[in-house]
Amino acid sequence: MQPFIEMNKLNLYYGEFHALKDVSVQIPERAITAFIGPSGCGKSTLLRTLNRMNDRIPGARVEGRVAIGGIDIYSGEVHVESLRKKIGMVFQQPNPFPKSIYDNVAFGPKQHGIRGKKKLDELVEQSLRSAVLWDEVKDDLRRPALSLSGGQQQRLCIARALAVEPDILLMDEATSALDPISTFKIEELTHELKDRYTIVMVTHNMQQAARVSQQTVFFLNGEVIEHDATRQLFANPVDSRTQDYISGRFG
Amino acid sequence: MIDMNPSTNSKAPAELGQSFGKTSGSKFDRKARLRWSNQLFRMICIGSALFVCLVLLCILVLMLRTGVLTFSNVSLTEFFFSTNWDPENEHYGALTFILGTLALTSLTMLISIPISVIIAVFLAEMTPKWLRNLLRPVLDLLVGIPSVVYGFLGLTLLIPWLRNLSGHDLADGLLAASIVLTIMVLPTISRISDDAISAVPNKYRDAAYALGANRFQTVFRVVLPAARSGIMYAVILGMARAIGETMAVVMVIGNTAQLPNSLFTPTAVLTSNIVMQISSVEFDSTWNYGLYMMGFILLAISLLMIVAVRILQKKGGRYS
């Protein structure tokens, strides 16, 4: 497979703390790649370097190369806002804005200059359909987003991310705050989305990684321990630490 | 309560059930004591709430009771719709002062709300930490400065400057008063708004930035709307202070009972007129009653404005 996101000798520091050590990972296009590893191993940090959300953290410093579609996103010419438009992100806690469902989904497109009710209406419907939320909310799009259930809120956040028409979707433990049924729905959804988007997900849940992803990367203390096709990594891990982690001996 | 005496323990379980309802003999056992203290606390809370309402009611009644005596000598229409305030010649038209208060408050809010919100955004979202730690205490100190001091500043610095600027002989008037009031309410509104903006959860900012919004879009389309109710509250407090402010206003407004034809014409508002005249009127005169009535109107305006803002806030706050 053609690598779409390439990280080469990536190092990240929070002040003195060395959070990512010489990370080199290649992520294929239109597939789901899962980052697994114990808490604090740097997998969320790595996810946040992909859309440069770490720029907002004072004292964070990145060295090395991260290229998306061949373009180094840390070079001076890259416009951060345009980069983030191409990379949607879904967070651990559902975080819809305290606005209506419609305004939540239309927020991104509006910020990028899309005007006109008809165009926005279409985008909102299409995004909500992609996030399999349309049938549940189509009767009243003016409802406050915060009146939805947690699982619905998370799918709304996915719809909101899809509305800016990204190429990549980053999911930072997107199901860890949800009940099993909502989790299942979101997993099904990612399965459908992977034909159109490159998905990178961070998860604590190894069964989830095994169920939904095609590629899995195992992290420990800021280093990549093992990266392989998911089936291969779970069936025949090469490194003994991977073996220990996936069999539940630590983490 | 379960009786733990060995004698009762040996009895049949059926009787154990009965002993639940019984008191152990002492008049003040735990259950009765708990019920009593719960009730007492409840009564204290309800009592305090009622007391506050009672105080408000008493103030309203006291002002109104003396105020309405005005209308035994003056018609309602004259008092509310005439601008001729000349008590020595039996003219009691208070419209000038009512309009003056409304105009002064609106003008003050018009100037101070945008500036305060910008200061608050600057403090909460953009300032480096060391500057923020310096500015916040400074603003807090500004809130506590006595209003007379602001009046002096207006008198000695602002008025001469306005005279030069406008070319009027006397620059006292609505503009001078509203600038002084703006400086007075600015720290209040901006600090409370600052707290409201800082309290907006970071997850909303994360969401906006992750969608590719820039800082301006994030602040004005996500953070400020989310902080709206707190900012409204800050505005209410600032407005209440502006409506009721007396000393600083007296010193710069000119204290002339005439409708202003420009922002630089000496005029008067409810507070300034009351405080200038109350010490020189006879106790039992219509003049005195008229001043009480003006006090009541002031009270009513500020209460109405607060209610209005609350209603606005409820309508606007549907999603928060």
Side-chain angles (χ1 to χ4, degrees):
Chain A
M1 266 187 281
Q2 179 73 21
F4 184 49
I5 306 173
E6 274 185 282
M7 286 160 261
N8 210 339
K9 295 233 185 269
L10 176 70
N11 281 282
L12 187 137
Y13 304 84
Y14 291 128
E16 293 294 298
F17 179 64
H18 197 173
L20 293 175
K21 296 164 194 161
D22 274 339
V23 172
S24 299
V25 178
Q26 301 192 330
I27 294 172
E29 200 172 1
R30 291 176 212 284
I32 301 178
T33 302
F35 291 175
I36 61 169
S39 297
C41 69
K43 54 195 191 306
S44 289
T45 299
L46 182 59
L47 201 66
R48 294 169 68 95
T49 49
L50 296 182
N51 64 347
R52 291 186 57 176
M53 286 295 275
N54 284 330
D55 289 14
R56 297 193 57 224
I57 299 170
R61 199 171 83 249
V62 176
E63 286 167 10
R65 185 181 143 94
V66 184
I68 295 177
I71 297 163
D72 184 356
I73 61 167
Y74 282 89
S75 76
E77 293 116 58
V78 170
H79 188 231
V80 181
E81 279 83 28
S82 314
L83 172 78
R84 291 188 186 138
K85 181 183 179 296
K86 286 283 158 209
I87 307 176
M89 188 167 199
V90 183
F91 297 84
Q92 183 171 3
Q93 289 287 334
N95 58 353
F97 300 126
K99 301 172 186 280
S100 68
I101 294 170
Y102 184 94
D103 288 341
N104 262 282
V105 183
F107 179 85
K110 275 186 187 166
Q111 307 318 308
H112 295 290
I114 292 178
R115 296 277 174 275
K117 196 178 175 310
K118 200 161 163 271
K119 185 94 205 288
L120 284 171
D121 285 353
E122 265 171 35
L123 254 175
V124 168
E125 179 175 344
Q126 186 192 319
S127 310
L128 285 169
R129 280 190 193 281
S130 298
V132 201
L133 188 62
W134 175 253
D135 289 332
E136 290 159 63
V137 299
K138 65 179 178 209
D139 299 326
D140 188 5
L141 294 175
R142 293 276 152 215
R143 251 169 78 195
L146 297 179
S147 71
L148 298 172
S149 74
Q152 289 174 323
Q153 286 188 16
Q154 195 62 299
R155 276 179 284 148
L156 178 64
C157 291
I158 294 174
R160 182 176 65 183
L162 297 182
V164 292
E165 298 172 332
D167 298 327
I168 301 170
L169 196 59
L170 307 177
M171 303 178 81
D172 190 357
E173 292 180 44
T175 60
S176 67
L178 304 180
D179 62 86
I181 293 170
S182 308
T183 301
F184 175 70
K185 281 187 182 164
I186 291 194
E187 285 181 11
E188 267 196 326
L189 174 57
T190 53
H191 192 73
E192 279 171 35
L193 292 175
K194 77 164 196 297
D195 298 334
R196 284 181 285 155
Y197 302 94
T198 302
I199 298 178
V200 186
M201 58 160 59
V202 163
T203 179
H204 267 301
N205 182 334
M206 278 173 286
Q207 286 79 21
Q208 183 171 62
R211 272 196 303 266
V212 301
S213 71
Q214 284 79 54
Q215 298 273 314
T216 300
V217 188
F218 172 58
F219 286 86
L220 196 61
N221 300 326
E223 286 175 273
V224 175
I225 303 298
E226 195 163 347
H227 177 196
D228 213 333
T230 301
R231 205 167 301 164
Q232 182 66 23
L233 185 132
F234 278 93
N236 296 307
V238 176
D239 197 289
S240 63
R241 290 168 292 182
T242 316
Q243 173 69 46
D244 287 348
Y245 184 71
I246 59 176
S247 58
R249 243 166 272 167
F250 72 94
Chain B
M1 239 191 186
I2 303 172
D3 199 334
M4 294 304 274
N5 286 330
S7 59
T8 35
N9 270 354
S10 62
K11 283 180 189 169
E15 286 186 286
L16 194 73
Q18 277 188 342
S19 70
F20 265 100
K22 283 184 189 163
T23 55
S24 58
S26 152
K27 222 177 171 184
F28 264 130
D29 75 329
R30 191 177 135 75
K31 192 176 170 187
R33 208 168 59 232
L34 266 181
R35 189 166 49 203
W36 188 78
S37 63
N38 271 340
Q39 285 292 329
L40 183 73
F41 187 67
R42 216 177 101 110
M43 292 320 264
I44 292 174
C45 289
I46 295 175
S48 314
L50 288 179
F51 181 72
V52 174
C53 297
L54 191 71
V55 168
L56 182 64
L57 197 70
C58 283
I59 294 172
L60 281 169
V61 167
L62 177 83
M63 294 305 293
L64 191 60
R65 200 187 54 181
T66 317
V68 288
L69 293 176
T70 320
F71 300 116
S72 51
N73 293 322
V74 185
S75 73
L76 273 172
T77 9
E78 186 190 347
F79 191 82
F80 285 105
F81 296 105
S82 158
T83 56
N84 186 1
W85 178 262
D86 186 6
E88 276 102 347
N89 299 314
E90 302 286 311
H91 293 298
Y92 298 98
L95 186 63
T96 307
F97 311 121
I98 298 170
L99 288 181
T101 290
L102 292 178
L104 178 59
T105 309
S106 321
L107 192 59
T108 304
M109 287 293 120
L110 212 64
I111 306 174
S112 61
I113 292 173
I115 302 177
S116 317
V117 172
I118 287 170
I119 292 177
V121 167
F122 181 69
L123 266 178
E125 296 284 321
M126 302 178 184
T127 321
K129 206 172 174 193
W130 64 270
L131 188 59
R132 189 181 314 165
N133 289 344
L134 180 77
L135 285 178
R136 280 188 176 152
V138 168
L139 282 175
D140 288 341
L141 283 177
L142 285 178
V143 175
I145 291 182
S147 55
V148 178
V149 175
Y150 285 109
F152 271 123
L153 291 177
L155 207 58
T156 51
L157 296 175
L158 182 66
I159 299 248
W161 183 71
L162 282 178
R163 262 180 213 150
N164 283 336
L165 201 72
S166 67
H168 286 71
D169 296 337
L170 288 166
D172 305 45
L174 285 177
L175 187 65
S178 60
I179 291 176
V180 170
L181 282 183
T182 297
I183 295 168
M184 284 185 65
V185 299
L186 212 62
T188 312
I189 305 183
S190 51
R191 270 299 274 124
I192 296 172
S193 306
D194 166 28
D195 286 342
I197 294 170
S198 303
V200 171
N202 255 326
K203 60 179 186 177
Y204 296 149
R205 295 184 185 88
D206 280 343
Y209 283 120
L211 285 166
N214 59 31
R215 188 190 249 177
F216 178 87
Q217 292 164 333
T218 304
V219 168
F220 284 90
R221 300 193 185 140
V222 175
V223 178
L224 283 188
R228 180 173 41 209
S229 64
I231 294 173
M232 282 283 192
Y233 174 69
V235 169
I236 297 177
L237 281 187
M239 198 155 68
R241 191 162 184 206
I243 295 174
E245 179 47 43
T246 311
M247 278 324 297
V249 174
V250 166
M251 292 167 85
V252 293
I253 201 154
N255 303 308
T256 315
Q258 59 177 356
L259 266 186
N261 53 18
S262 82
L263 291 176
F264 301 101
T265 316
T267 178
V269 294
L270 291 166
T271 52
S272 69
N273 191 60
I274 295 171
V275 81
M276 291 301 286
Q277 302 190 338
I278 195 73
S279 54
S280 56
V281 295
E282 272 175 58
F283 183 67
D284 268 340
S285 62
T286 311
W287 192 350
N288 186 39
Y289 300 149
L291 294 180
Y292 267 87
M293 193 60 213
M294 284 163 54
F296 177 76
I297 294 167
L298 192 65
L299 194 58
I301 292 177
S302 56
L303 289 182
L304 279 179
M305 278 189 164
I306 290 171
V307 171
V309 171
R310 291 246 155 194
I311 291 170
L312 274 179
Q313 193 181 351
K314 251 184 210 140
K315 269 191 186 160
R318 194 183 148 204
Y319 300 121
S320 46

